[in-house]
């Protein structure tokens, strides 16, 4: 979308989102879906077009399905399982009927999410960078730097989706815990090299190599050469360096081919002290960075955005108190900590020499125990997350996600989870005459009421045994049972004051 400068940047916005990668695009679309209209800016004049993150975990695919946009991601290459440090775990050990997808470049993900956001009224303003921001008591006075001028924007809330070098994080001075790098990897998108399809990676005596086709004759390769010293961050990577590292680790020649894009990364990690500082919030890589083991980074970041979007929309519209935003940090910070833990563990097992091979063998044997496989598979897939919903002594399914295909809408035969595409919360009734239906009347513009029956899908026993369900807009079950007073309290807790 082309805009004149005076039209592109207003003087006041409710929410300023900084960074238009997958995280910022998802957050902006979520805000718009729930009634808020953010200003989304990005410092780049155009998207990079680089492949970068290459796929989706099951939980992210579930989110896309809930929002009704999964079909927009054409050509997904779904795989039969997941891996932990290169050890294969069959998909039957996932607590979801869906399977992960790979070989889908981040550039295409950004195209899909940008189109969705624009349909909802949120185009990307480029190239505009956050130069500075100062608190005003009711938000922030932000100075934005454009191609030929600067503009001042008063923002009630500012959200940093601007990656590991976040300007928002630096502006608010958020303390960050960091670990130093100990191993590095070279990454490249090559063409004409005839690489094998080994998306989970193969460990060799001298290092690790991961490779997979991306389509159009392009192949992704990641090489960790144990013998190479650490290189300064940001140092350009050449095709010759990738070729030399590959040949040293694998022991066979790599065809010359062509290098389309190359980079490097390490196992350094970081996490901020808090995801929220007053009216400034941090999402995705601006809040946490880590070794990209198992392709979890972009996926966790998108899920951060889905957790925050509806909450920030309600608060910014004055429907809910600011304390609702505290739950963003409370719920997502432990997820970030767990992300750093499991990626660091994978790095120790996969990116070290023969000294860790006994540990890999022990873990491989443990994966023959079904419970262990489920624990690790669900962990790297984002399926094991359960939030505290403020109900004393609550047991599952309260706090867990509403999985796809768990309930069928009686009137239409459709999947109840897809009813979340409207952005509303859900009240799932086992009987249309349930007394719970009257409790949502004061919130009727925020809650869709559906009459549904449970399916007989595997692992659905707890849900099938539950009575009525209240499902938050992000797909997590906030209440289950027959206590209508408890339901009313849950509605107030998560949706704020009634509007009807």
């Amino acid at each position: 979308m082309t805009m004149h400068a005076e039209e592109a940047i207003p003087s006041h916005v409710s929410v300023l989102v900084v960074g238009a990668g997958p995280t910022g695009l998802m957050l902006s679309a979520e805000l718009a879906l729930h009634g808020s209209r953010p200003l989304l800016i990005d410092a780049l004049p155009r998207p990079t077009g680089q492949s970068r993150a290459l796929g989706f975990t099951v939980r992210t695919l579930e989110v896309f399905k809930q929002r009704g946009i999964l079909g927009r991601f054409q050509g997904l290459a779904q795989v039969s399982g997941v891996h932990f440090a290169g050890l294969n775990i069959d998909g039957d050990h996932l607590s979801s009927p869906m399977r992960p997808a790979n070989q889908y470049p981040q550039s295409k993900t950004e195209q899909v999410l940008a189109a969705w956001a624009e349909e909802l009224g949120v185009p990307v303003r480029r190239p505009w960078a956050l130069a500075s921001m100062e608190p005003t008591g009711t938000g922030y006075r932000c100075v934005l730097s454009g191609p030929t001028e600067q503009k001042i924007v008063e923002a009630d809330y500012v959200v940093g989706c601007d990656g590991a070098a976040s300007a928002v994080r630096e502006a608010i001075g958020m303390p960050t815990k960091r670990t130093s790098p100990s191993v590095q990897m070279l990454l490249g998108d090559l063409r004409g090299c005839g690489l094998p399809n080994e998306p989970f990676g193969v460990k060799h005596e001298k290092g690790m190599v991961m490779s997979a086709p991306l389509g159009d004759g392009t192949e992704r390769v990641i090489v960790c050469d144990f013998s190479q010293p650490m290189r300064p961050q940001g140092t350009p990577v050449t095709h010759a360096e990738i070729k030399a590292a590959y040949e040293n680790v694998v022991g066979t020649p790599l065809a010359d081919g062509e290098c389309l894009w190359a980079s490097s990364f390490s196992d350094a990690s970081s996490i901020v002290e808090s995801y929220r500082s007053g009216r400034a919030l941090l999402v995705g890589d601006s809040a946490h960075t880590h070794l990209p083991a198992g392709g979890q980074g972009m996926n966790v970041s998108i899920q951060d955005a889905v957790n925050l979007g509806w909450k920030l929309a309600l608060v910014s519209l004055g429907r809910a108190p600011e304390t609702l935003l505290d739950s963003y940090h409370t719920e997502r910070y432990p997820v970030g900590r767990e992300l750093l833990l499991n990626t660091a563990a994978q790095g120790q097992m996969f990116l070290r020499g023969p000294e860790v091979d006994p540990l890999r063998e022990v873990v491989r044997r443990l994966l023959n125990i079904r419970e262990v496989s489920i624990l690790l598979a669900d962990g790297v897939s984002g399926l094991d997350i359960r939030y505290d919903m403020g109900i004393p002594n609550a047991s599952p399914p309260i706090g867990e996600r509403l999985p796809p295909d768990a309930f069928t809408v009686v009137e239409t035969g459709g999947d109840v989870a897809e009813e979340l595409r409207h952005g509303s919360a859900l009240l799932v009734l086992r009987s249309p005459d349930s007394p719970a239906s009257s409790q949502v009347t004061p919130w009727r513009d925020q809650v869709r009421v559906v009459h549904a029956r449970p399916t007989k899908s595997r692992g659905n026993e707890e849900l099938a045994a539950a009575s009525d369900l209240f499902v938050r807009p992000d797909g997590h079950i906030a209440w289950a049972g027959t206590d209508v007073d408890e339901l009313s309290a849950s509605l107030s807790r998560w949706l704020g004051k009634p509007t009807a």
Side-chain angles (χ1 to χ4, degrees):
M1 180 177 291
T2 301
M3 296 184 177
H4 298 295
E6 63 271 15
E7 295 174 334
I9 304 297
S11 60
H12 175 267
V13 293
S14 178
V15 181
L16 171 64
V17 179
V18 183
T23 308
L25 291 166
M26 191 73 193
L27 176 66
S28 297
E30 287 286 311
L31 286 164
L33 186 65
H34 294 93
S36 182
R37 287 294 183 271
L39 170 64
L40 173 60
I41 64 169
D42 196 275
L44 296 177
R46 62 188 60 84
T48 66
Q50 295 171 348
S51 57
R52 297 184 180 272
L54 286 181
F56 306 115
T57 61
V58 170
R59 181 54 185 144
T60 301
L61 294 176
E62 289 184 352
V63 166
F64 292 158
K65 189 171 189 285
Q66 288 174 178
R67 290 296 184 248
I69 61 172
L70 181 57
R72 300 182 183 215
F73 294 87
Q74 295 292 317
L76 288 178
Q78 291 191 294
V79 293
S80 60
V82 297
H83 76 92
F84 187 88
L87 299 172
N88 184 58
I89 306 175
D90 190 87
D92 287 344
H93 293 128
L94 291 167
S95 59
S96 173
M98 303 185 74
R99 294 295 177 265
N102 62 14
Q103 301 174 24
Y104 200 86
Q106 181 175 318
S107 55
K108 294 174 66 176
T109 298
E110 291 179 2
Q111 291 174 10
V112 172
L113 294 179
W116 184 44
E118 187 164 329
E119 286 175 18
L120 293 170
V122 189
V124 183
R125 273 74 166 188
R126 301 176 182 272
W128 288 94
L130 178 69
S132 65
M133 53 185 281
E134 297 178 355
T136 63
T138 58
Y140 290 90
R141 182 180 184 271
C142 302
V143 178
L144 307 187
S145 179
T148 60
E149 61 180 331
Q150 288 190 333
K151 287 218 169 185
I152 296 175
V153 176
E154 301 289 338
D156 298 337
Y157 297 89
V158 178
V159 187
C161 299
D162 47 345
S166 171
V168 176
R169 185 187 64 239
E170 296 307 309
I172 62 176
M174 179 58 68
T176 304
K177 181 179 180 180
R178 304 179 187 276
T179 64
S180 299
S182 64
V183 65
Q184 69 179 5
M185 283 134 282
L186 304 184
L187 174 154
D189 286 356
L190 310 181
R191 185 172 288 165
C193 293
L195 291 164
N197 185 13
E198 295 171 340
F200 291 171
V202 176
K203 187 178 179 187
H204 300 266
E205 182 177 353
K206 295 183 178 180
M208 183 279 299
V209 173
M210 183 180 296
S211 56
L214 301 182
D216 299 327
T218 304
E219 302 160 320
R220 163 66 59 84
V221 63
I222 297 175
V223 185
C224 178
D225 185 344
F226 297 156
S227 66
Q228 292 299 308
M230 295 293 297
R231 61 196 295 131
Q233 185 176 359
T235 304
V237 176
T238 67
H239 187 189
E241 288 175 314
I242 293 176
K243 188 174 188 297
Y246 181 94
E247 293 175 348
N248 183 54
V249 171
V250 178
T252 59
L254 176 66
D256 290 337
E258 175 188 7
C259 183
L260 306 179
W261 172 66
S263 184
S264 65
F265 58 91
S266 73
D267 62 342
S269 67
S270 68
I271 189 165
V272 294
E273 183 178 275
S274 177
Y275 286 16
R276 180 192 177 200
S277 175
R279 292 187 166 214
L281 301 109
L282 301 172
V283 184
D285 287 352
S286 67
H288 46 74
T289 60
H290 56 91
L291 176 73
Q296 298 177 75
M298 180 185 70
N299 289 272
V300 172
S301 299
I302 287 174
Q303 293 159 36
D304 284 348
V306 173
N307 182 280
L308 175 61
W310 63 277
K311 297 173 182 176
L312 183 54
L314 288 178
V315 173
S316 66
L317 292 169
R319 291 186 171 185
E322 282 205 15
T323 51
L324 180 61
L325 296 178
D326 292 336
S327 68
Y328 167 60
H329 170 79
T330 301
E331 293 178 350
R332 296 304 296 177
Y333 181 77
V335 175
R337 289 288 301 271
E338 186 64 25
L339 173 66
L340 267 61
L341 174 66
N342 86 50
T343 53
Q346 292 187 68
Q348 291 295 321
M349 289 177 55
F350 208 20
L351 303 177
R352 296 292 185 270
E355 69 272 11
V356 301
D357 288 348
L359 174 61
R360 283 180 59 81
E361 177 59 21
V362 169
V363 174
R364 186 190 67 77
R365 294 178 185 180
L366 288 173
L367 288 174
N368 291 321
I369 303 172
R370 179 173 175 78
E371 289 77 11
V372 175
S373 291
I374 293 173
L375 175 71
L376 293 182
D378 278 2
V380 299
S381 303
L383 299 176
D384 62 343
I385 298 167
R386 182 179 176 224
Y387 299 139
D388 180 0
M389 293 298 171
I391 299 176
N393 303 314
S395 58
I398 295 174
E400 296 180 342
R401 76 196 193 289
L402 178 69
D405 305 325
F407 288 91
T408 300
V409 180
V410 171
E411 292 80 5
T412 66
D415 180 4
V416 165
E418 294 186 29
E419 294 293 315
L420 290 162
R421 68 185 181 278
H422 305 283
S424 302
L426 297 181
L427 181 64
V428 183
L429 302 178
R430 300 290 291 275
S431 167
D433 300 323
S434 170
S437 61
S438 63
Q439 296 298 307
V440 302
T441 301
W443 291 272
R444 61 176 176 266
D445 64 333
Q446 297 185 61
V447 183
R448 289 177 65 84
V449 180
V450 293
H451 176 207
R453 58 174 177 266
T455 63
K456 295 181 179 179
S457 59
R458 179 177 61 83
N460 193 26
E461 294 78 12
E462 288 176 341
L463 279 171
S467 297
D468 302 329
L469 305 172
F470 167 47
V471 183
R472 300 190 320 187
D474 62 353
H476 279 261
I477 299 166
W479 170 88
T482 59
D483 188 333
V484 293
D485 291 333
E486 198 175 69
L487 169 60
S488 183
S490 184
L491 288 161
S492 296
R493 178 186 181 92
W494 299 114
L495 302 182
K497 60 187 179 183
T499 55

